[in-house]
């Protein structure tokens, strides 16, 4: 590297981003329209869908945004969730959270490329080569915008957000002006039980409210990073209303709740409000809004997702070439370009496969952040924060319990009702994440290279002091979750699981419901035993000799 050109977090250029710019970026990262809720309507019924759109902002989105606001206020650092978990839970868990959040973002952003190409095909019949061309042009265009800097990303997000909000505002006004149907009848499908109706939509609702933490990944490039907590306070209710009002308007004006969907020739959705009452031209215009929506998310996700591995590389926990900045713009150019290349590969996958790989990672991340915010209360006392004017979750201990316990409960429920194949896919990602940490720690040295006193190295394992205990906990918790899954997934999906997975997948591992349940049961038992065994090994290696001796300090008399 050029010694006269500073790379890594220290070399980033800071920009003056207004609160409004942050709000629009958060809107792009989390929502960018109500697309996706259509599936909830047909699965859960109109009444239950509207109720969930009221309750989820209170019991899921509000707690997540409050956690992110407090963590982002006390640690307004580039890398966001990775930094918070590293400070609250240690190097090992910091790496896990950083990996889950970043690879989850990389997987999610490829989904939006796939969706845009799918929408374009509805306008213009295209060959496979033509579809590939659309994907490549989209990736190249928004990669260039991100290489210009976070200010340009914010400007583009603002323009696209205004267009999307305006489109859904028209749907809301037109739909409510032509109220014809009850929005709560039926409350849920008659043939579905409450558990089935809820289970199918909980994961969609969670997915619709994922992304509040991603804005913090670029905090190191904002002159006043405290605008992020302020932006979150504004963005959360805006997003909630942008989901509820158009959905209500659609249900009361076009009805046909059983046919609401995102795909299919007979699918009904928000666009039908405009086609029915204003004509096909307005439907065509709304299809363009749908494309702009996916582009806005993709643009913002490049900015957020490219920073995770960049910051981890700066901490010697990822390949060092990822820390390189562009000479003129001072943006993590290499990380952005690597992410673009990764997207080119991933956008060949289908939408379902990408969602399957992504959803569990986000749930793991939110549970870890809930624990992190509690741990950091001890490191950074609340009274000291208030004296500095930093944001603190309101409500004292009760408020803290509310916003940290609820996300954990909802995340655990979602892991088990999302589907057996999603559950198992999540464990594959946990294994990849664990192996990834070991490789990066041994290869690049980790935080011991940054501060050997604060992050001492165990000379026996070449891992951070305490890592074996953390890894044992990781394995044990995974085993308990897997074994519990073998019971809960059977109870939830029942005898119908066998027929469903056989029809859904035809052949292969995911088509064998009982085979997946057996893998969860046997794998869970093995992981529990391995976790207990590794605890005993960690106890011997990490406590005998004590850390003071590992650091070369003389034992106290």
């Amino acid at each position: 590297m050029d010694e006269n050109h500073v790379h890594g977090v220290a070399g980033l250029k800071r920009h003056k981003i207004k609160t409004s710019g942050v709000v629009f970026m958060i809107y792009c990262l989390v929502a960018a329209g109500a697309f996706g809720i259509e599936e909830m309507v047909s699965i859960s019924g109109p009444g239950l869908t509207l109720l969930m759109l009221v309750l989820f902002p209170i019991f899921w989105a509000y707690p997540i945004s409050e956690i992110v606001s407090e963590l982002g206020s006390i640690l307004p650092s580039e890398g966001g969730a990775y930094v918070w978990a590293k400070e609250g839970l240690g190097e090992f868990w910091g790496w896990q959270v950083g990996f889950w959040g970043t690879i989850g973002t990389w997987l999610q952003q490829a989904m939006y490329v796939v969706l845009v190409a799918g929408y374009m095909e509805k306008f213009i019949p295209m060959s496979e080569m033509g579809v590939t061309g659309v994907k490549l042009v989209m990736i190249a265009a928004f990669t260039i915008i991100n290489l210009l800097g976070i200010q340009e990303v914010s400007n583009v997000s603002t323009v696209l957000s205004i267009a999307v909000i305006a489109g859904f505002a028209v749907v809301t006004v037109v739909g409510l002006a032509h109220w014809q149907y009850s929005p709560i009848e039926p409350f849920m499908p008659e043939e579905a039980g409450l558990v089935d109706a809820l289970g199918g939509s909980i994961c969609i609702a969670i997915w619709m409210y994922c992304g509040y933490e991603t804005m913090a990944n670029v905090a190191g490039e904002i002159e006043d990073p405290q605008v992020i907590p302020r932006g979150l306070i504004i963005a959360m209710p805006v997003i909630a209303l942008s989901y509820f009002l158009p959905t209500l308007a659609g249900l009361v004006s076009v009805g046909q709740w059983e046919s609401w969907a995102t795909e299919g020739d007979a699918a009904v959705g928000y666009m039908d409000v405009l086609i029915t009452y204003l004509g096909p031209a307005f439907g065509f215009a709304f299809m363009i809004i749908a494309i702009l929506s996916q582009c806005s998310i993709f643009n913002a996700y490049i900015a957020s997702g490219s920073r995770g591995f960049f910051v981890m590389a700066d901490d010697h926990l990822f390949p060092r070439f990822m820390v390189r900045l562009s000479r003129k713009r001072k943006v993590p150019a290499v990380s952005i370009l690597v992410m673009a290349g990764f997207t080119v590969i991933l956008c060949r996958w289908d939408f379902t496969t990408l969602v399957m790989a992504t959803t569990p990672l986000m749930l793991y991340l939110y549970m870890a952040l809930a624990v992190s915010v509690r741990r950091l209360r001890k490191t950074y006392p609340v009274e000291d924060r208030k004296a500095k004017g930093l944001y603190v979750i309101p409500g004292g201990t009760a408020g803290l319990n509310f916003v940290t316990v609820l996300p954990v409960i909802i995340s655990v429920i979602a892991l088990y009702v999302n589907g057996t194949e999603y559950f198992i896919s999540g464990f594959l990602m946990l294994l990849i994440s664990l192996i990834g940490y070991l490789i990066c720690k041994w290869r690049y040295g980790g935080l011991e290279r940054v501060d050997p006193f604060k992050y001492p190295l165990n000379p026996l394992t070449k891992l951070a002091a305490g890592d074996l205990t953390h890894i044992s906990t990781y394995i044990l918790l995974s085993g308990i979750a897997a074994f519990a899954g073998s019971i809960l997934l059977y109870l939830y999906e029942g005898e119908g699981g066998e027929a469903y997975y056989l029809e859904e997948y035809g052949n292969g591992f995911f088509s064998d419901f009982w085979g997946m349940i057996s893998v969860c049961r046997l794998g869970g038992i093995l992981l529990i035993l391995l976790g207990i065994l590794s605890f005993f090994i960690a106890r011997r290696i990490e406590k005998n000799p004590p850390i003071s001796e590992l650091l070369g300090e003389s034992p106290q008399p």
Side-chain angles (χ1 to χ4, degrees), residues 167 169-175 177-178 254 270-286:
V170 174
V171 170
T172 300
V173 172
V174 172
H178 295 85
V254 299
Y270 303 105
M271 182 172 63
D272 291 277
V273 175
L274 302 183
I275 293 174
T276 302
Y277 297 105
L278 299 181
F282 283 86
F284 181 85
F286 193 76

Side-chain angles (χ1 to χ4, degrees), residues 139-349:
I139 293 169
F142 289 103
T143 297
I144 291 171
I145 291 171
N146 273 266
L147 288 171
L148 294 175
I150 195 66
Q151 182 69 66
E152 287 71 18
V153 173
S154 176
N155 293 341
V156 171
S157 294
T158 298
V159 172
L160 295 177
S161 294
I162 291 173
V164 173
I165 291 172
F168 276 94
V170 174
V171 170
T172 300
V173 172
V174 172
L176 294 179
H178 295 85
W179 192 304
Q180 298 186 50
Y181 306 96
S182 170
I184 58 174
E185 292 181 1
F187 183 74
M188 64 183 192
E190 294 181 2
E191 70 278 3
L194 180 61
V195 174
D196 291 333
L198 277 173
S201 289
I202 283 177
C203 296
I204 297 175
I206 287 175
W207 184 53
M208 296 298 293
Y209 281 107
C210 280
Y212 284 105
E213 77 290 347
T214 51
M215 183 66 207
N217 285 352
V218 298
E221 297 164 72
I222 299 176
E223 287 183 2
D224 178 17
Q226 297 302 326
V227 298
I228 296 178
R230 292 197 291 270
L232 281 164
I233 294 172
I234 299 171
M236 202 279 288
V238 169
I239 291 168
L241 288 174
S242 74
Y243 287 163
F244 180 83
L245 292 177
T247 305
L248 173 65
L251 288 171
V252 300
S253 60
V254 299
Q256 304 177 67
W257 65 270
E258 307 100 321
S259 300
W260 277 55
T262 54
E263 296 179 344
D265 295 335
V268 175
Y270 303 105
M271 182 172 63
D272 291 277
V273 175
L274 302 183
I275 293 174
T276 302
Y277 297 105
L278 299 181
F282 283 86
F284 181 85
F286 193 76
M287 183 64 76
I288 295 175
I289 293 295
I291 292 175
L292 294 179
S293 168
Q294 310 311 314
C295 289
S296 69
I297 301 173
F298 183 68
N299 175 56
Y301 263 40
I302 294 176
S304 173
S306 60
R307 271 57 176 182
F309 291 148
F310 162 74
V311 177
M312 292 165 70
D314 200 41
D315 280 345
H316 301 272
L317 284 168
F318 218 73
R320 290 289 292 168
F321 70 86
M322 296 287 277
V323 305
R324 294 189 67 88
L325 299 174
S326 60
R327 183 174 296 277
K328 184 178 180 180
R329 296 282 179 167
K330 306 294 185 183
V331 298
V334 171
S335 184
I336 291 172
L337 291 172
V338 170
M339 188 177 187
F342 192 78
T343 306
V344 170
I345 298 171
L346 281 185
C347 69
R348 297 176 179 272
W349 294 8

Side-chain angles (χ1 to χ4, degrees), residues 427 475-487 517-533:
F427 277 90
I475 294 172
L476 183 59
L477 289 176
S478 298
I480 293 172
F483 184 76
S486 69
I487 300 171
I517 293 296
S518 296
V519 167
C520 290
R521 182 182 301 111
L522 296 177
I525 293 172
L526 289 175
L527 288 173
I528 290 171
L529 294 175
L530 180 59
I532 294 172
L533 177 62

Side-chain angles (χ1 to χ4, degrees), residues 20 65 69 76 78 102 125 128 130 155 163 166 272 328-329 332 336 361 375 384 418 487 505 519 544 549 554:
S20 59
S65 64
S69 294
E78 190 82 358
T102 303
E128 185 176 345
N155 293 341
D272 291 277
K328 184 178 180 180
R329 296 282 179 167
I336 291 172
L361 295 177
R375 291 289 295 273
D384 293 347
N418 204 25
I487 300 171
Y505 294 97
V519 167
N544 297 302
E549 292 184 23
S554 300

